[in-house]
Structures are given as structure tokens and as C-alpha cells.
Amino acid sequence: MKNEKSQSCKTSASVRSKIFLISVLILIISIIIYRLSTIGPFAPLQCRLLGIGCPDTKVQGYVAPEFIDVKKAFIKNFKDGGEVGSSVAAYYNGKLVVDLYGGYADLETMREYNKDTLQLVFSSTKALTSIMIAYLVDRGLLNYNEKISKYWPEFAQGNKENVTLLDLVNHRAGVTYLDTQVTKSELEDLDKLAKILAAQPHAFDGVPLRAYHAATRGWYLNEIVRRVDPKHRTIGQIVSEEILKQYDLEFYLLLPQKLSSRVATFYHAPITEKILLMRHLLLEWWYKKNSDPFILESIDKTDFKSKAFNSSVPGIPKPFEFKEVTKLEEITFECPSVTGITNAKSMAKLGAIIINNGQSLDDNSNSKPLISKNTIDLISTKLPIEWDYFIERNLTSSVGGFVYFKLPGLEDVEFLGSGGFGGSLFIWNRELGISFGYAMNAIKMNTFGDKRGWSVLKEIVNVVKKLKKKELKKEQLKKEQFEDPFSKIQMLRKLIKRS
């Protein structure tokens, strides 16, 4: 009997011990999962798991006193492990209010990410390209409603004879991909490239459906510009000769070799980020699978997506094949869709010039407008919402080929511009007077920004809204005083009574 009780006690103790160990294990796993999900993928592993060895990143630059919370949000991105190195800048009503940078441009050499750092911003380049097309439209060299074949007769092949410039800047030209995988030497020889581009048939048999032209948009626009420019220059050459020095910007479509040491090294997210990404993509795929709109029956959707993904640019990484360092030495050609190398301040300043009706922000009354107000109004004009058959979402574009963004946490505000692979942003809002640039070397699998840029932009918008309210109150007070001639006397009487 005693033996049975003893055995029963031992069994109970063993069960309790196992339950305790399982509970501790569950607690540890829960803490690890919580920390991995709340601390960003670019923090050291010991920081993410144990909260030790977290980097103390130095953030430098300028921020206007009213915008101090923006700096706090920017610093938080580093503390949360979402950044390696980055820069952010914003203009409000033509004045620089944020110009911050921090972290590391290169982890191996511990080179700091500073005001001189340059960054490849991928598709944020498209905003610059669209601005330059508007620049040529403004000078009468191009017209959005004109057929491309007017400027480039050889283009009218393979059902492309009715494609307009408006179609091309808004990804409706039917040239999402090239059947021929272009080589580096072909990209360097623009005459040879032009023949390949002209021969490419329309992907949708001439029907103007929107399907994101990731790289090809820039190549086609570059050839059109070469044909209409009196000096037969590329987009990048015009930018370098007529824009950069005149407006104190740095934005290179083909980086001068002497500046390569200033470019930040790229870093991709570790395995945990990729797992979360795959989960997101699978959920998104399931949703689209059950809600995808009609596409032409003559098009094999799987084949179309495969060709689009394979139409890559030498030296530029494909999704899921991203190496830690982009080999800039391989980019010896212009691709005005993705090869833009710049910084946050230059993007924000260029956006501020657009908001300022094309006028320079510097106190120089003799400077010629970059683009006239009429053309800026034109390129900002909204087009009907369209489904993009490559990105697989509805998008609202503008005549100038920009995209209208409504970002998470800022659903009541629309920004115009472009975003780049990895998280960069080049956007502006004319009504609020905000222009915003964000560049980083920690790559996340996004094309319209992510919470790093969004969180900083949200703080900027919040401050501007408060400033706008104060300005509105002042204007109302002035209006009331102007309408009532006795208001000043009444105010003086009140002051005398109080005293």
C-alpha cells in the first residue's frame, strides 16, 4: 500500500515537473516570438532575443523645432532594428524642415551614413524620369497625347502603332517585358537597344491595359528623349547638364565613377523577415486568386508574370535573389526606371520645386522655372482608377505618370510621386505643401514604402496639420478685425478694463 502511494507521489511529481518545464518552454518561446516580431530584422540577434548588445546609433542633421517629433520617429526606426543606414528629408512650404541621416553606409568598414552618402533608390527613380518628361513637354518637344510613332517611326511594330506617350508613362504601352534578355553590352549601345525595343510586340495585342513596366518604361522613354532632344542626349545627360547644378541637387542615372565611394552598401533582411514575407505573399496570392478581374483570354497569366520577372537589369538584383551588395561597377548604362542614385534631401527638394510651381527655392528671381505651373497642373491631373495586371492592385495615376498614394495611418492624405524597391520614397502633397524623401540601405520587400518611412511621414503630416490650423485661426482673426471697424476699439476697451 505504501509502495503504491509512494509510486503515485513520484508520478504526480514527475507530471508536475514536466508541466513546469513545458510551461517554461512555452514562456521562453513566446518571449522569443514576441521579440522577433517587435524588434526589426536588422538588429543583432542577441539584441532581438535578449535585449542586449543593441546598437546605439548616432543620428545627425537638421530638424526645425516644430518638427522635433519627426527626429524621435526616425531614431525609433534604428532602435527597433529596422535600419542599417538611412536618410530622410522634408520641405514644408518651400523650406527645409527635416534633413536627418544616421546609421552605417557600410558595416564592414563602419562607414557612417551621413550628408554625403548616396543611395540607389530603384523605382523612386521613376518620379525623376516623369519630371524630366514633363520638362520636355513644357518646352514643346513632347506631347502626352501624341503617338510614340511620331517621334520614333520604327516603334510602330507588333500592334504598338497606337500607343501614346500618355500610355507609356502610365505603364499601358504593352511593353512590360522584353522577349529578348538584353545584355550589358546592348544596354550600353543605345542604337542597338533601340532596335530591340522597337521590335518588341505589344503584350496585350494593342489593348491599353496597365501592367507595371518595371525597367522597360525607362528604356523606351530614354530613346524617345534622344530623338526629340536637339543634342540627342539621354535623360540622365539632360539632368546632369541642365538640372543638378542649377537647382543644387544630386540625382544620377549613371553614376560618375569618382562618386562610387560615397554610395551605401545594401543589406537584405535575414531569414525571419523572409519567412514573414512568404506568409504575407501567400495570403496576398490567395486573396488575388479569388478576386482577380478579367484578363485577356489570349494571355497566359503565368507566362506573362514569368517574363516580367525575368526581364531584369544587369547589376540590379531580382526579388528573392538579392545579394548583400549591389555591384554598382556593373551598372555602366542608364535605366531611367531604376538606376537613380541620390539622397533623401535631393528627392524632397525636387518635390518642393514642383509644389512651388516649378520655381527655384533659392532667392534668385532670375532663375527660370523648372516646369511651368500649367504643366505641373497637367501632370498632377488624376486619371481613372486602373487595375495593374503585374502588381495586381488598383492604382490611381496622374497624367504625368506619377502614382497617388494613400499610406497606412495617413488614409486622409494623398501623396503624389513614386516608391522604390526596398522602401525608398519620393513623394509630395501640393495642398499641404509637404515634399518628402526617404532613402535607406536596409532592404525590405516593398515597392510603396514601409512602416519606417510611413512612421516618419506621419509625424510630419501631424505637425503640418497643427500648423495649418494655427494659420487658419490667424487668418480668421484678421478677417474678423477687417470686417468689424470697431473691433480694435473694443479690444482696447477690454484691455483697459482688465488692467
CSV table of all heavy atoms in Angstrom, one decimal, residues 36-73:
chain,number,residue,atom,x,y,z
A,36,LEU,N,11.1,38.8,-31.6
A,36,LEU,CA,11.4,38.7,-33.1
A,36,LEU,C,10.4,39.5,-33.9
A,36,LEU,O,10.7,40.0,-35.0
A,36,LEU,CB,11.4,37.3,-33.5
A,36,LEU,CG,12.7,36.5,-33.1
A,36,LEU,CD1,12.5,35.0,-33.5
A,36,LEU,CD2,13.9,37.0,-33.6
A,37,SER,N,9.1,39.5,-33.4
A,37,SER,CA,8.1,40.2,-34.2
A,37,SER,C,8.0,41.7,-33.9
A,37,SER,O,7.4,42.5,-34.7
A,37,SER,CB,6.7,39.6,-33.8
A,37,SER,OG,6.4,39.8,-32.5
A,38,THR,N,8.6,42.2,-32.8
A,38,THR,CA,8.6,43.6,-32.4
A,38,THR,C,9.9,44.3,-32.7
A,38,THR,O,9.9,45.5,-32.9
A,38,THR,CB,8.2,43.8,-31.0
A,38,THR,OG1,9.1,43.0,-30.1
A,38,THR,CG2,6.7,43.3,-30.7
A,39,ILE,N,11.0,43.5,-32.6
A,39,ILE,CA,12.3,44.1,-32.9
A,39,ILE,C,12.7,43.8,-34.3
A,39,ILE,O,12.7,42.7,-34.8
A,39,ILE,CB,13.4,43.6,-31.9
A,39,ILE,CG1,13.0,43.8,-30.5
A,39,ILE,CG2,14.7,44.3,-32.2
A,39,ILE,CD1,12.8,45.2,-30.1
A,40,GLY,N,13.0,44.8,-35.1
A,40,GLY,CA,13.3,44.7,-36.5
A,40,GLY,C,14.4,43.7,-36.9
A,40,GLY,O,15.2,43.4,-36.1
A,41,PRO,N,14.4,43.3,-38.2
A,41,PRO,CA,15.3,42.2,-38.6
A,41,PRO,C,16.8,42.6,-38.7
A,41,PRO,O,17.6,41.8,-38.9
A,41,PRO,CB,14.7,41.9,-40.0
A,41,PRO,CG,14.1,43.1,-40.5
A,41,PRO,CD,13.5,43.7,-39.2
A,42,PHE,N,17.0,43.9,-38.7
A,42,PHE,CA,18.4,44.4,-38.8
A,42,PHE,C,19.2,44.6,-37.5
A,42,PHE,O,20.3,45.1,-37.6
A,42,PHE,CB,18.4,45.6,-39.7
A,42,PHE,CG,17.9,45.4,-41.1
A,42,PHE,CD1,16.6,45.7,-41.4
A,42,PHE,CD2,18.7,44.7,-42.1
A,42,PHE,CE1,16.1,45.4,-42.7
A,42,PHE,CE2,18.2,44.5,-43.3
A,42,PHE,CZ,16.9,44.8,-43.7
A,43,ALA,N,18.5,44.4,-36.4
A,43,ALA,CA,19.2,44.5,-35.1
A,43,ALA,C,20.0,43.2,-34.9
A,43,ALA,O,19.6,42.1,-35.4
A,43,ALA,CB,18.2,44.6,-34.0
A,44,PRO,N,21.1,43.2,-34.2
A,44,PRO,CA,21.9,42.0,-33.9
A,44,PRO,C,21.0,40.9,-33.2
A,44,PRO,O,20.1,41.3,-32.5
A,44,PRO,CB,23.0,42.5,-33.0
A,44,PRO,CG,23.1,43.9,-33.3
A,44,PRO,CD,21.8,44.4,-33.6
A,45,LEU,N,21.3,39.7,-33.5
A,45,LEU,CA,20.5,38.6,-32.9
A,45,LEU,C,20.3,38.6,-31.4
A,45,LEU,O,19.2,38.4,-30.9
A,45,LEU,CB,21.0,37.2,-33.4
A,45,LEU,CG,20.1,36.0,-33.1
A,45,LEU,CD1,18.8,36.1,-33.7
A,45,LEU,CD2,20.8,34.7,-33.5
A,46,GLN,N,21.5,38.9,-30.7
A,46,GLN,CA,21.4,39.0,-29.3
A,46,GLN,C,20.5,40.1,-28.8
A,46,GLN,O,19.9,40.0,-27.7
A,46,GLN,CB,22.8,39.1,-28.6
A,46,GLN,CG,23.5,40.4,-28.9
A,46,GLN,CD,24.3,40.4,-30.2
A,46,GLN,OE1,24.0,39.6,-31.1
A,46,GLN,NE2,25.3,41.3,-30.3
A,47,CYS,N,20.4,41.2,-29.6
A,47,CYS,CA,19.5,42.3,-29.2
A,47,CYS,C,18.1,41.9,-29.4
A,47,CYS,O,17.2,42.2,-28.6
A,47,CYS,CB,19.9,43.5,-30.1
A,47,CYS,SG,18.7,44.9,-29.9
A,48,ARG,N,17.8,41.2,-30.5
A,48,ARG,CA,16.4,40.7,-30.8
A,48,ARG,C,15.9,39.7,-29.8
A,48,ARG,O,14.8,39.7,-29.4
A,48,ARG,CB,16.3,40.2,-32.2
A,48,ARG,CG,16.7,41.1,-33.3
A,48,ARG,CD,16.4,40.6,-34.7
A,48,ARG,NE,15.0,40.5,-35.0
A,48,ARG,CZ,14.4,39.9,-36.0
A,48,ARG,NH1,15.2,39.2,-36.8
A,48,ARG,NH2,13.1,39.9,-36.2
A,49,LEU,N,16.8,38.8,-29.4
A,49,LEU,CA,16.4,37.7,-28.5
A,49,LEU,C,16.5,38.1,-27.0
A,49,LEU,O,15.6,37.8,-26.2
A,49,LEU,CB,17.3,36.5,-28.7
A,49,LEU,CG,17.2,35.8,-30.1
A,49,LEU,CD1,18.1,34.6,-30.2
A,49,LEU,CD2,15.7,35.3,-30.3
A,50,LEU,N,17.5,38.8,-26.6
A,50,LEU,CA,17.8,39.0,-25.2
A,50,LEU,C,17.8,40.5,-24.8
A,50,LEU,O,17.9,40.8,-23.6
A,50,LEU,CB,19.2,38.4,-24.8
A,50,LEU,CG,19.3,36.9,-25.1
A,50,LEU,CD1,20.8,36.5,-24.9
A,50,LEU,CD2,18.4,36.1,-24.3
A,51,GLY,N,17.7,41.4,-25.8
A,51,GLY,CA,17.7,42.8,-25.5
A,51,GLY,C,19.1,43.3,-25.1
A,51,GLY,O,19.2,44.4,-24.4
A,52,ILE,N,20.2,42.6,-25.4
A,52,ILE,CA,21.5,43.1,-25.1
A,52,ILE,C,22.3,43.3,-26.3
A,52,ILE,O,22.0,42.7,-27.4
A,52,ILE,CB,22.2,42.1,-24.1
A,52,ILE,CG1,22.4,40.7,-24.8
A,52,ILE,CG2,21.5,42.0,-22.8
A,52,ILE,CD1,23.2,39.7,-24.0
A,53,GLY,N,23.3,44.2,-26.3
A,53,GLY,CA,24.1,44.5,-27.4
A,53,GLY,C,23.4,45.2,-28.5
A,53,GLY,O,23.8,45.2,-29.7
A,54,CYS,N,22.3,45.9,-28.2
A,54,CYS,CA,21.6,46.7,-29.2
A,54,CYS,C,22.4,48.0,-29.5
A,54,CYS,O,23.0,48.6,-28.7
A,54,CYS,CB,20.3,47.1,-28.6
A,54,CYS,SG,19.2,45.7,-28.2
A,55,PRO,N,22.6,48.3,-30.8
A,55,PRO,CA,23.4,49.4,-31.2
A,55,PRO,C,22.9,50.7,-30.8
A,55,PRO,O,21.7,51.0,-30.8
A,55,PRO,CB,23.4,49.3,-32.8
A,55,PRO,CG,22.1,48.5,-33.1
A,55,PRO,CD,21.9,47.6,-32.0
A,56,ASP,N,23.8,51.6,-30.4
A,56,ASP,CA,23.4,53.0,-30.1
A,56,ASP,C,23.8,53.8,-31.3
A,56,ASP,O,24.9,54.4,-31.4
A,56,ASP,CB,24.2,53.4,-28.9
A,56,ASP,CG,23.8,54.8,-28.4
A,56,ASP,OD1,22.7,55.3,-28.8
A,56,ASP,OD2,24.6,55.5,-27.7
A,57,THR,N,22.8,54.0,-32.2
A,57,THR,CA,23.0,54.6,-33.5
A,57,THR,C,23.0,56.1,-33.4
A,57,THR,O,22.2,56.7,-32.7
A,57,THR,CB,22.0,54.2,-34.5
A,57,THR,OG1,22.0,52.8,-34.6
A,57,THR,CG2,22.3,54.8,-35.9
A,58,LYS,N,24.0,56.8,-34.0
A,58,LYS,CA,24.1,58.2,-34.0
A,58,LYS,C,23.3,58.8,-35.2
A,58,LYS,O,23.5,58.4,-36.3
A,58,LYS,CB,25.6,58.6,-34.1
A,58,LYS,CG,25.8,60.2,-34.0
A,58,LYS,CD,27.2,60.5,-33.7
A,58,LYS,CE,28.1,60.1,-34.9
A,58,LYS,NZ,29.5,60.6,-34.7
A,59,VAL,N,22.4,59.7,-34.8
A,59,VAL,CA,21.6,60.4,-35.9
A,59,VAL,C,22.0,61.8,-35.9
A,59,VAL,O,22.1,62.5,-34.8
A,59,VAL,CB,20.1,60.3,-35.6
A,59,VAL,CG1,19.3,61.2,-36.4
A,59,VAL,CG2,19.6,58.8,-35.8
A,60,GLN,N,22.3,62.3,-37.1
A,60,GLN,CA,22.7,63.7,-37.2
A,60,GLN,C,21.8,64.5,-38.2
A,60,GLN,O,21.0,63.9,-38.9
A,60,GLN,CB,24.2,63.7,-37.7
A,60,GLN,CG,25.2,62.9,-36.9
A,60,GLN,CD,26.5,62.9,-37.5
A,60,GLN,OE1,27.3,63.9,-37.4
A,60,GLN,NE2,26.9,61.8,-38.1
A,61,GLY,N,22.1,65.8,-38.3
A,61,GLY,CA,21.4,66.6,-39.3
A,61,GLY,C,20.6,67.7,-38.7
A,61,GLY,O,20.8,68.1,-37.5
A,62,TYR,N,19.6,68.2,-39.4
A,62,TYR,CA,18.8,69.3,-39.0
A,62,TYR,C,17.4,69.0,-38.9
A,62,TYR,O,16.8,68.2,-39.8
A,62,TYR,CB,19.0,70.5,-40.0
A,62,TYR,CG,18.0,71.6,-39.9
A,62,TYR,CD1,18.1,72.5,-38.8
A,62,TYR,CD2,16.9,71.7,-40.7
A,62,TYR,CE1,17.2,73.5,-38.7
A,62,TYR,CE2,16.0,72.7,-40.6
A,62,TYR,CZ,16.1,73.6,-39.6
A,62,TYR,OH,15.2,74.6,-39.4
A,63,VAL,N,16.7,69.5,-37.9
A,63,VAL,CA,15.2,69.4,-37.8
A,63,VAL,C,14.7,70.7,-37.2
A,63,VAL,O,15.3,71.2,-36.2
A,63,VAL,CB,14.8,68.2,-37.0
A,63,VAL,CG1,15.3,68.3,-35.6
A,63,VAL,CG2,13.3,68.1,-37.0
A,64,ALA,N,13.7,71.3,-37.8
A,64,ALA,CA,13.1,72.6,-37.3
A,64,ALA,C,12.5,72.3,-36.0
A,64,ALA,O,12.0,71.2,-35.8
A,64,ALA,CB,12.1,73.1,-38.3
A,65,PRO,N,12.5,73.2,-35.0
A,65,PRO,CA,12.0,73.0,-33.7
A,65,PRO,C,10.5,72.4,-33.6
A,65,PRO,O,10.3,71.5,-32.8
A,65,PRO,CB,12.0,74.4,-33.1
A,65,PRO,CG,13.0,75.1,-33.8
A,65,PRO,CD,13.0,74.6,-35.2
A,66,GLU,N,9.7,72.8,-34.6
A,66,GLU,CA,8.3,72.3,-34.6
A,66,GLU,C,8.2,70.8,-34.9
A,66,GLU,O,7.2,70.2,-34.7
A,66,GLU,CB,7.4,73.1,-35.5
A,66,GLU,CG,7.4,74.6,-35.3
A,66,GLU,CD,8.4,75.4,-36.1
A,66,GLU,OE1,9.5,74.8,-36.4
A,66,GLU,OE2,8.2,76.6,-36.4
A,67,PHE,N,9.3,70.4,-35.6
A,67,PHE,CA,9.3,69.0,-36.2
A,67,PHE,C,10.1,68.0,-35.4
A,67,PHE,O,10.6,67.0,-35.9
A,67,PHE,CB,9.7,69.0,-37.6
A,67,PHE,CG,8.7,69.7,-38.6
A,67,PHE,CD1,8.7,71.1,-38.7
A,67,PHE,CD2,7.8,69.0,-39.3
A,67,PHE,CE1,7.8,71.7,-39.5
A,67,PHE,CE2,6.9,69.6,-40.2
A,67,PHE,CZ,6.9,70.9,-40.3
A,68,ILE,N,10.4,68.4,-34.1
A,68,ILE,CA,11.3,67.5,-33.3
A,68,ILE,C,10.8,66.1,-33.1
A,68,ILE,O,11.6,65.2,-33.0
A,68,ILE,CB,11.5,68.2,-31.9
A,68,ILE,CG1,12.7,67.5,-31.2
A,68,ILE,CG2,10.2,68.2,-31.1
A,68,ILE,CD1,14.0,67.7,-31.9
A,69,ASP,N,9.5,65.9,-33.1
A,69,ASP,CA,8.9,64.5,-33.0
A,69,ASP,C,9.3,63.7,-34.2
A,69,ASP,O,9.3,62.4,-34.1
A,69,ASP,CB,7.4,64.6,-32.8
A,69,ASP,CG,7.0,65.0,-31.4
A,69,ASP,OD1,7.9,65.0,-30.5
A,69,ASP,OD2,5.8,65.4,-31.2
A,70,VAL,N,9.5,64.3,-35.3
A,70,VAL,CA,10.0,63.6,-36.5
A,70,VAL,C,11.3,62.9,-36.3
A,70,VAL,O,11.5,61.7,-36.7
A,70,VAL,CB,10.1,64.5,-37.7
A,70,VAL,CG1,10.6,63.8,-39.0
A,70,VAL,CG2,8.7,65.2,-38.0
A,71,LYS,N,12.2,63.6,-35.6
A,71,LYS,CA,13.5,63.0,-35.3
A,71,LYS,C,13.3,61.8,-34.4
A,71,LYS,O,14.0,60.8,-34.5
A,71,LYS,CB,14.4,64.1,-34.6
A,71,LYS,CG,15.8,63.6,-34.4
A,71,LYS,CD,16.7,64.8,-33.8
A,71,LYS,CE,18.1,64.3,-33.6
A,71,LYS,NZ,19.0,65.4,-33.1
A,72,LYS,N,12.4,61.9,-33.4
A,72,LYS,CA,12.2,60.8,-32.5
A,72,LYS,C,11.7,59.6,-33.2
A,72,LYS,O,12.1,58.5,-32.9
A,72,LYS,CB,11.1,61.2,-31.4
A,72,LYS,CG,11.6,62.3,-30.5
A,72,LYS,CD,10.5,62.8,-29.5
A,72,LYS,CE,11.0,63.9,-28.6
A,72,LYS,NZ,9.9,64.4,-27.7
A,73,ALA,N,10.8,59.8,-34.2
A,73,ALA,CA,10.3,58.7,-35.0
A,73,ALA,C,11.4,58.1,-35.8
A,73,ALA,O,11.5,56.8,-36.0
A,73,ALA,CB,9.2,59.2,-35.9
